[in-house]
Amino acid sequence: MQDLLIVKDVVKQYGDYTALTNANISVPKGSIYGLLGPNGAGKTTLMRIINQITAPDSGEVIFDGEPLQKHHIAEIGYMPEERGLYKKMKVGEQALYLAQLKGMSYNTALDKLKYWFEKLDILSWWNKKVEELSKGMAQKIQFIVTVIHEPKLLIFDEPFSGFDPINAAIIRKEILELAEKGTTIIFSTHRMESVEEICDHIALINKSNTILDGTIEDIKKQFATNTFKIVTSGGEIQENDFFNIVSMEDNNYQIKPKDGKSIKEILESILKDTEIISFKKETPSMEEIFIKAVNNA
Amino acid sequence: MHKIWLIIKREYLVRVRKKSFIIMTILGPMLMAALLIVPTFLATQTKENRIIALNEDANFNLEDSEFIHFTTIPTSEAEILKTDFSESLFYALLHIEGENFTLYSNQQISLSVSKSIERQLEQIIEHEKLKLFGIDLQILENASTEINITTKIISEDGNTSNSQAEASMGIGFISGILIYIFIFMYGTMVMRGVIEEKTSRIVEVIISSVKPFQLMMGKILGVALVGLTQFILWILLTVIISTLAELFFLDLNVMATEMNSSDQSMILAQVDELTGGINLLQIFLAFIFYFLAGYLMYSALFAAVGSAVDAEADTQQFVLPITIPLILSFLLITPIMENPDGTLAFWMSMIPFTSPVIMMVRLPFGVANWELALSIVILIAAFIGTTWFAGRIYRTGILMYGKKVSYKELWRWLKY
């Protein structure tokens, strides 16, 4: 798969403060790419560089095979974390203005906006002022003006903050739909559960460095602990030649196979004495990986 | 280029459609028209004849004036009036005892009435005293002289023209004040606009589509157009309203008889003479230039301040150094008018932060062409400089939240 966006050795300093040292990410075309990292890691700076809001001190950004240029603005949609709208302006007028700033003509912008407003069932808000809307309603408008110009790359910074669960689900559905149509999506968030649900690739930035980059599957494999969780119907399990017990609590056991022992052997050894209700391979959650990677770095 | 137009259009339309703009635009000329009309209107109203009673034993020969009529009453009656004025038809009672003068009335006595009586009394007593010293009043009258000096200005091409200090002062004062007000009003409007974009958090959404500098310039130019619109509307409306009001309030017949054609041409001739030594076209063009350039320079600074703060309440420390030269030039208007060619006047009309106001004050008195040209060049250079400077602070400032910004911090932003 070809990469739509490659960030190579990007460095950005603000005076004495280094926001990014050697940031490297490659975002495959059509992927949903999670950009993770603790607060102050440099995610926002990286997104601002991709959006040409700030320029990197060194390093390069390749977009769709060519170095990032001014005209690429029309092919990128950005929903920043610090987002808002003009409060005193009418919804429709404002959406038209923002769409035109992205380079759309008045008429196409109008057509596309009508389509999206109908799709999200908010056409009746067209002549309302933004200050009359609730926060969640305003976020919907924000989402529309981000995607309205049908960019090749969409960048969402904490897209679900400010949404109630129902509207968050609607927006998630729309994002997945856009991804299915081939739009590449970069996703920055602290909410690990939504990363696992949505993303197929992730990069982890910590202290202005990229410390992890790959598909979720690969990363999970990399962080696998190779432990199993067993729940018995009451009988006790004893350590034997096949496995060690890592922890136990009532009927819940966590075991780790000894080198070269198969699962079949382990199960057979346990079943001799007790009945097993559940047996499951433990995979680390993204949250655990996140904490582990940040602490190790 | 297309995008900056979109920004200018939005900034312009949003402000022009605001209720406060419409109200200001209508109210402004009404007030101005009122200032022109009300005195004329009042002057045409016949004032009530105020009768002032005088106790008969005072031998002062007070003369009746247009609105004040004196009449003497018996002392006994005056004594009653002093305690009970309610039944009386008089406006006031002037009680004279030796050189003590007292006005009694059941209402507040107007200042003009008491002043005019004071003047008359003073004159009568003065004349008495002069006579006592043996000075003939006739001699005194002959000795008093009044002289009007005609001043002529010889311009560079050798023409002489009458110089009219009063008209020059009037024009200089008004245009200086107007520029001061406009820079202040619209400069802070730009600042508030920037703060609004920052606090509503729309700014990052927009600068992912346009450059910060484009957004800043679009706002500054949009607001400049708002200012021009308001200015032009004010002039038009003032003319319309005052014309209509004159027709409406003043008796048409009086107007027609009092102002026959020869009178009108005389007035025109007078206006011509009044402004004869003043190059009105030059002043008009200079006004437009200093108005725009001064505004552009200051509003860029105001935009930079807006970008550096989170809320309007925090602007104080940065606005102060910007407004000091502006307020200084306002305060200097009167001293400069008294000495429009002095050293102070010269330097203040060269320094770009004071030149928009001060040069407009000086211009009607006549300013050498090279001085005007130099001042314009300096102002243009300063405008480019401050815009560059403001742009650098702006592009960093608009993305900074929740940070108390210091001057040191601003200095660092310049170098990012």
Side-chain angles (χ1 to χ4, degrees):
Chain A
M1 205 167 9
Q2 203 203 329
D3 289 335
L4 180 71
L5 180 82
I6 301 167
V7 174
K8 245 191 238 164
D9 303 328
V10 162
V11 177
K12 179 72 190 176
Q13 281 190 307
Y14 293 107
D16 301 332
Y17 175 71
T18 308
L20 287 173
T21 43
N22 287 325
N24 283 289
I25 59 168
S26 331
V27 182
K29 214 170 241 176
S31 67
I32 304 185
Y33 194 93
L35 196 58
L36 314 177
N39 291 325
K43 284 173 297 174
T44 304
T45 306
L46 182 58
M47 282 183 281
R48 282 178 181 168
I49 287 171
I50 297 168
N51 278 291
Q52 303 177 61
I53 291 170
T54 41
D57 297 336
S58 67
E60 54 177 342
V61 182
I62 312 279
F63 184 84
D64 210 8
E66 46 184 307
L68 195 63
Q69 283 160 34
K70 206 74 220 163
H71 68 87
H72 287 135
I73 276 178
E75 309 195 34
I76 301 178
Y78 177 40
M79 187 154 103
E81 186 177 8
E82 297 286 2
R83 54 184 174 251
L85 299 162
Y86 289 111
K87 292 193 174 60
K88 306 264 176 213
M89 232 177 146
K90 283 181 181 161
V91 169
E93 201 181 358
Q94 176 151 214
L96 270 172
Y97 171 64
L98 293 170
Q100 286 181 84
L101 279 188
K102 278 285 179 195
M104 297 177 85
S105 75
Y106 179 89
N107 288 326
T108 8
L110 191 65
D111 288 347
K112 289 271 181 272
L113 282 173
K114 294 263 169 179
Y115 163 79
W116 273 103
F117 272 59
E118 255 164 47
K119 189 164 188 212
L120 294 182
D121 200 21
I122 55 172
L123 204 55
S124 59
W125 301 352
W126 188 269
N127 276 320
K128 276 195 180 149
K129 280 188 180 168
V130 172
E131 59 188 353
E132 298 168 46
L133 304 183
S134 71
K135 199 178 170 206
M137 289 156 98
Q139 295 281 335
K140 273 192 185 174
I141 314 287
Q142 203 99 52
F143 174 79
I144 293 176
V145 297
T146 308
V147 303
I148 190 70
H149 56 298
E150 297 178 348
K152 285 183 188 162
L153 175 65
L154 275 170
I155 304 176
F156 295 104
D157 197 350
E158 294 295 345
F160 300 124
S161 70
F163 278 118
D164 58 71
I166 295 167
N167 280 315
I170 294 174
I171 295 304
R172 184 183 295 123
K173 193 186 122 233
E174 294 300 336
I175 292 176
L176 291 175
E177 213 169 282
L178 285 165
E180 259 165 48
K181 284 182 193 156
T183 312
T184 309
I185 290 162
I186 295 181
F187 215 120
S188 160
T189 183
H190 302 297
R191 289 173 39 164
M192 292 305 143
E193 72 277 10
S194 49
V195 173
E196 267 172 285
E197 267 173 58
I198 297 180
C199 301
D200 38 38
H201 280 68
I202 63 159
L204 181 59
I205 295 181
N206 186 42
K207 291 183 186 146
S208 63
N209 275 300
T210 318
I211 54 175
L212 273 183
D213 188 5
T215 64
I216 290 216
E217 229 170 284
D218 288 345
I219 285 173
K220 282 204 165 174
K221 229 176 251 170
Q222 195 183 321
F223 279 82
T225 50
N226 195 28
T227 54
F228 295 86
K229 208 175 173 97
I230 301 171
V231 182
T232 66
S233 62
E236 232 169 79
I237 301 177
Q238 300 292 327
E239 266 185 35
N240 57 26
D241 292 345
F242 303 103
F243 62 89
N244 295 319
I245 294 177
V246 182
S247 69
M248 58 182 287
E249 199 191 335
D250 297 335
N251 299 329
N252 294 300
Y253 296 84
Q254 193 185 17
I255 62 154
K256 193 178 171 85
K258 287 185 173 163
D259 283 343
K261 304 298 177 194
S262 72
I263 292 171
K264 186 166 176 272
E265 287 169 314
I266 294 168
L267 278 176
E268 278 169 354
S269 77
I270 298 171
L271 283 170
K272 270 191 268 171
D273 307 316
T274 53
E275 201 174 300
I276 294 175
I277 293 174
S278 100
F279 181 90
K280 196 175 149 210
K281 186 173 168 52
E282 281 195 325
T283 49
S285 70
M286 277 322 290
E287 195 158 348
E288 285 162 337
I289 293 175
F290 180 90
I291 293 168
K292 211 170 196 171
V294 169
N295 288 339
N296 288 348
Chain B
M1 227 27 226
H2 168 67
K3 286 181 183 174
I4 202 164
W5 270 117
L6 283 170
I7 296 168
I8 292 173
K9 198 172 101 190
R10 193 202 82 87
E11 297 293 337
Y12 179 78
L13 287 178
V14 160
R15 286 184 176 77
V16 166
R17 279 185 294 193
K18 261 191 190 158
K19 277 196 199 87
S20 56
F21 176 85
I22 297 167
I23 291 170
M24 271 296 283
T25 307
I26 294 170
L27 223 57
M30 297 247 262
L31 285 173
M32 276 200 259
L35 280 178
L36 294 174
I37 286 300
V38 169
T40 341
F41 177 68
L42 288 180
T44 58
Q45 301 293 301
T46 45
K47 277 194 188 155
E48 57 180 316
N49 229 347
R50 284 166 171 164
I51 304 170
I52 309 242
L54 205 60
N55 52 330
E56 59 178 359
D57 54 344
N59 55 346
F60 272 91
N61 195 11
L62 287 163
E63 280 171 26
D64 291 354
S65 73
E66 203 181 334
F67 304 114
I68 306 172
H69 185 76
F70 294 100
T71 182
T72 41
I73 52 169
T75 312
S76 55
E77 209 175 303
E79 286 305 318
I80 301 167
L81 270 183
K82 264 157 77 176
T83 50
D84 180 20
F85 210 93
S86 53
E87 298 294 308
S88 135
L89 293 167
F90 303 121
Y91 174 69
L93 164 73
L94 176 64
H95 185 71
I96 303 175
E97 242 172 350
E99 288 210 2
N100 284 324
F101 308 98
T102 322
L103 268 176
Y104 296 93
S105 180
N106 58 344
Q107 56 188 311
Q108 190 67 43
I109 292 164
S110 86
L111 201 64
S112 64
V113 170
S114 68
K115 282 282 166 209
S116 106
I117 295 175
E118 263 173 30
R119 256 199 317 277
Q120 273 207 55
L121 290 168
E122 273 166 17
Q123 212 180 14
I124 291 168
I125 296 171
E126 258 175 43
H127 284 186
E128 285 301 319
K129 285 181 178 166
L130 285 170
K131 261 188 219 160
L132 220 67
F133 293 130
I135 296 167
D136 192 351
L137 282 181
Q138 196 60 43
I139 295 175
L140 202 69
E141 220 163 274
N142 287 345
S144 91
T145 22
E146 198 178 309
I147 286 174
N148 278 317
I149 293 184
T150 317
T151 48
K152 301 254 181 196
I153 293 175
I154 306 160
S155 65
E156 278 161 28
D157 49 15
N159 290 330
T160 55
S161 55
N162 289 344
S163 101
Q164 294 294 345
E166 289 87 1
S168 303
M169 281 173 113
I171 293 173
F173 186 74
I174 290 173
S175 41
I177 297 268
L178 274 179
I179 285 187
Y180 169 80
I181 293 174
F182 267 76
I183 288 179
F184 235 114
M185 251 173 73
Y186 293 99
T188 45
M189 194 184 269
V190 168
M191 184 177 78
R192 272 202 302 273
V194 174
I195 294 173
E196 185 208 344
E197 271 164 3
K198 230 185 132 176
T199 50
S200 71
R201 301 286 198 263
I202 195 175
V203 67
E204 197 167 348
V205 176
I206 293 181
I207 59 169
S208 64
S209 318
V210 301
K211 280 186 180 158
F213 189 75
Q214 283 177 308
L215 180 59
M216 186 179 94
M217 280 320 284
K219 185 176 289 295
I220 288 174
L221 294 175
V223 172
L225 290 180
V226 176
L228 278 180
T229 309
Q230 187 153 57
F231 185 62
I232 291 164
L233 282 176
W234 271 356
I235 290 175
L236 283 179
L237 282 173
T238 306
V239 170
I240 292 169
I241 291 175
S242 47
T243 318
L244 283 179
E246 264 175 33
L247 289 176
F248 196 70
F249 285 119
L250 302 178
D251 195 329
L252 276 173
N253 292 326
V254 176
M255 294 269 297
T257 49
E258 278 187 356
M259 259 236 243
N260 55 40
S261 56
S262 71
D263 274 348
Q264 265 171 355
S265 59
M266 211 176 76
I267 288 171
L268 283 180
Q270 264 176 353
V271 170
D272 203 38
E273 197 189 317
L274 264 179
T275 56
I278 302 167
N279 187 343
L280 284 177
L281 180 68
Q282 185 200 44
I283 287 175
F284 178 75
L285 292 177
F287 180 82
I288 298 288
F289 171 78
Y290 281 104
F291 170 70
L292 283 177
Y295 159 80
L296 289 175
M297 182 183 68
Y298 270 105
S299 58
L301 293 176
F302 275 115
V305 170
S307 74
V309 299
D310 278 346
E312 213 174 326
D314 302 334
T315 56
Q316 214 90 44
Q317 58 158 334
F318 299 116
V319 167
L320 195 68
I322 298 177
T323 49
I324 282 175
L326 205 52
I327 292 170
L328 180 72
S329 50
F330 177 76
L331 294 176
L332 283 174
I333 288 179
T334 327
I336 297 276
M337 278 197 304
E338 275 158 20
N339 188 7
D341 285 315
T343 322
L344 181 71
F346 174 78
W347 286 108
M348 286 297 160
S349 58
M350 289 303 141
I351 296 170
F353 294 99
T354 50
S355 69
V357 173
I358 299 299
M359 192 48 114
M360 281 320 295
V361 174
R362 286 185 68 200
L363 260 187
F365 296 95
V367 171
N369 284 341
W370 70 268
E371 282 185 33
L372 185 60
L374 182 59
S375 163
I376 287 175
V377 170
I378 293 175
L379 185 55
I380 290 174
F383 153 60
I384 293 167
T386 49
T387 312
W388 175 85
F389 167 86
R392 290 187 79 87
I393 289 181
Y394 181 86
R395 58 172 201 188
T396 310
I398 44 173
L399 294 174
M400 292 278 176
Y401 292 113
K403 209 171 181 180
K404 203 91 176 137
V405 177
S406 62
Y407 280 103
K408 212 172 124 199
E409 187 85 25
L410 288 188
W411 180 245
R412 281 221 300 276
W413 292 359
L414 276 183
K415 291 181 287 183
Y416 281 173

